[in-house]
Amino acid sequence: MLKKLWLLFFTFAKIAALVLGGGLAMLPVIEETFVNKKKLLTNEEVLDVVALTQTVPGIIAANAAVAIGMKVAGFAGALAALAGAILPSFVIILIIAMLFPTLSPDNVYWMGAFAGIRAGVTGLIMVTALKIGKNTLKGVFEAVTAAVLLAAALYGVNPGLIIIAAIVTGVIYCRVCAKRTGKGAEK
């Protein structure tokens, strides 16, 4: 058990320290570590974590750490993963806060670093979106729902309304499928 706790703490500390861009940028690294290398989670479980972290309030990285920690090692795992996810960010933010007043907007090195970070984070988020899409969009219903809700998001519809619409659409779809097959009838 102690080995799993250390793995959770160290893995999330390493991810939080080295992956820039927040929770969504962390997801490919989380998948690589916990699904491909350590075989502690399946792709479907990671997709469940992604869905969960997007729909509950809070920081995506912390939510993902807690969800994965719980799946891997229970409550102690959630605490270890959360501590690992928070500690490096806290230290890095503290250092940046101390240096920030001395940073000049004319410094080409800092501005170049931030431009590169923004571009890299965009790429990591795109990779995450493609992986999620590949594992989620398995049928016509999923593809059409994703396309309609993507269009709504592009036209500025409130993300909360989009999530509610996705939930309602999914529930209706599952009820219709259940009635067709005769499975899942409620008591």
Side-chain angles (χ1 to χ4, degrees):
M1 178 68 158
L2 195 56
K3 187 175 178 181
K4 281 186 180 180
L5 296 177
W6 174 248
L7 171 72
L8 286 162
F9 175 82
F10 181 73
T11 300
F12 276 98
K14 181 175 67 171
I15 290 170
L18 301 176
V19 176
L20 302 172
L24 289 177
M26 295 170 74
L27 291 173
V29 181
I30 289 171
E31 181 181 28
E32 178 64 24
T33 302
F34 289 101
V35 175
N36 299 337
K37 287 184 180 174
K38 301 296 181 184
K39 309 274 190 236
L40 293 171
L41 299 171
T42 66
N43 282 326
E44 290 74 25
E45 288 173 321
V46 171
L47 282 175
D48 291 344
V49 167
V50 170
L52 177 67
T53 60
Q54 293 297 306
T55 56
V56 297
I59 302 166
I60 294 171
N63 292 343
V66 168
I68 289 172
M70 282 295 287
K71 281 201 173 287
V72 171
F75 185 72
L79 290 178
L82 182 61
I86 291 173
L87 184 63
S89 300
F90 176 76
V91 171
I92 291 167
I93 294 289
L94 189 61
I95 292 169
I96 290 172
M98 291 186 321
L99 294 175
F100 199 75
T102 64
L103 298 179
S104 167
D106 299 329
N107 185 321
V108 295
Y109 299 108
W110 281 110
M111 295 303 108
F114 286 128
I117 289 169
R118 283 190 303 269
V121 167
T122 301
L124 288 172
I125 291 172
M126 290 171 85
V127 166
T128 301
L130 290 172
K131 283 185 177 183
I132 291 171
K134 185 176 100 178
N135 291 323
T136 303
L137 305 178
K138 295 181 178 178
V140 174
F141 167 76
E142 292 89 351
V144 170
T145 303
V148 168
L149 296 176
L150 175 62
L154 292 173
Y155 280 103
V157 175
N158 182 308
L161 294 175
I162 291 172
I163 290 171
I164 291 169
I167 291 168
V168 170
T169 305
V171 168
I172 291 169
Y173 176 74
C174 286
R175 292 204 36 108
V176 168
C177 288
K179 283 183 180 179
R180 282 186 190 162
T181 62
K183 295 179 183 176
E186 294 182 0
K187 295 178 182 177

